[in-house]
Amino acid sequence: MKIGILGVGYIGKTLSQKLGAAGHDVKVANSRGPETIDAEVLATGARAASAAEAVKDVDVVILSIPLSRLPEVAALITTVPADTVVIDTSNYYPARDSTIESIEAGQVESLWAAEQLRRPIVKAWNAIGSGSLAGKGTPVRTAGRIAIPVAADDDRERAVGMALVEDTGFDGFDAGRLAESWRQQPGAPAYCTDLTSEEMPAALAAAESARLPKRRDLAVAAFTERVGDGKTNPDSEFGVRVSRALFM
């Protein structure tokens, strides 16, 4: 597929590498210009581009930027044809994103994102830690393969998201519609706990929406104490242990 990725942080960088290695035609952009994109991001065939170039003539656009910055790219996304699949990987973290009142009041993060972008979206790769995404992918039918939930209101778009998740080394798990995607938000049992497809249904079903923010913030505090700041990600094993202890 022809894929444009906006963002080369922890998740965007890995997606560029994995999807390029899987044979997809990948263009990647950041907010500072194509000349600033590290060669490592392009090591498996992805090409650096401007943001406008990255979303032009593609089958899929992947947004791997902080949730609070989605309104900044809304005008650009309106130029993308209606049949192009738009996948969002972001999560709401108030310490980083500042307070978003509607989400604080209970709006599902994915529905807020779709409102800002003014189009349907797919939610994928938000519920796996960057270390696990980079290092724990395995071939199809490998025992214990980690699953990643994928939510969307359109069945075709959800299927595309699931197929691309498979290409990054994980089972794409059908998590239903966006209204239910709060079950894969930070603080939920399915979030960054590295579960298999067999374990995922019970984890999604066990989520309690009222408890997610407190659990999310407890995890942030634990990670910050471990690494010394709120921006550096912990190693994947520590992250999974903390997430399982707090979220499940």
Side-chain angles (χ1 to χ4, degrees):
M1 303 186 79
K2 295 180 179 179
I3 301 172
I5 300 176
L6 299 185
V8 291
Y10 292 119
I11 299 297
K13 170 185 174 180
T14 299
L15 293 179
S16 299
Q17 294 168 331
K18 285 179 171 280
L19 294 172
H24 296 289
D25 181 4
V26 179
K27 295 183 287 186
V28 60
N30 64 9
S31 60
R32 294 172 293 146
E35 68 281 356
T36 68
I37 295 176
D38 193 273
E40 186 181 3
V41 177
L42 312 175
T44 59
R47 293 172 286 127
S50 68
E53 293 167 341
V55 303
K56 185 178 180 181
D57 298 326
V58 294
D59 305 303
V60 177
V61 172
I62 299 174
L63 301 176
S64 190
I65 61 178
L67 180 137
S68 60
R69 289 185 53 206
L70 291 178
E72 298 175 19
V73 301
L76 180 62
I77 297 302
T78 61
T79 69
V80 174
D83 61 351
T84 300
V85 178
V86 177
I87 302 176
D88 172 40
T89 73
S90 69
N91 295 295
Y92 175 54
Y93 281 96
R96 178 197 64 197
D97 296 313
S98 298
T99 300
I100 298 175
E101 294 295 345
S102 56
I103 295 179
E104 292 287 339
Q107 184 177 25
V108 177
E109 294 174 17
S110 300
L111 296 180
W112 183 88
E115 283 184 3
Q116 306 312 304
L117 298 171
R118 299 189 290 277
R119 65 177 296 142
I121 62 168
V122 178
K123 196 71 167 188
W125 292 296
N126 76 296
I128 186 167
S130 59
S132 293
L133 178 62
K136 295 185 178 180
T138 57
V140 177
R141 291 185 290 277
T142 299
R145 195 183 199 216
I146 295 169
I148 296 177
V150 179
D153 290 341
D154 183 272
D155 292 344
R156 178 190 71 87
E157 294 187 352
R158 191 186 316 114
V160 170
M162 291 171 62
L164 291 177
V165 165
E166 295 279 347
D167 287 343
T168 60
F170 302 87
D171 284 345
F173 187 88
D174 188 336
R177 298 178 64 83
L178 284 181
E180 291 297 306
S181 65
W182 63 269
R183 297 179 183 276
Q184 65 195 69
Q185 288 179 188
Y191 182 78
C192 294
T193 48
D194 286 4
L195 304 179
T196 65
S197 290
E198 291 73 28
E199 297 168 321
M200 188 62 70
L204 292 171
E208 302 173 74
S209 59
R211 302 181 72 178
L212 301 193
K214 185 174 182 179
R215 292 178 175 186
R216 174 201 64 207
D217 294 345
L218 285 170
V220 170
F223 297 151
T224 300
E225 190 279 332
R226 173 81 167 200
V227 302
D229 63 64
K231 296 181 179 179
T232 303
N233 282 4
D235 69 80
S236 60
E237 295 309 318
F238 177 75
V240 171
R241 289 199 305 272
V242 170
S243 296
R244 288 187 173 190
L246 293 176
F247 304 163
M248 297 183 73

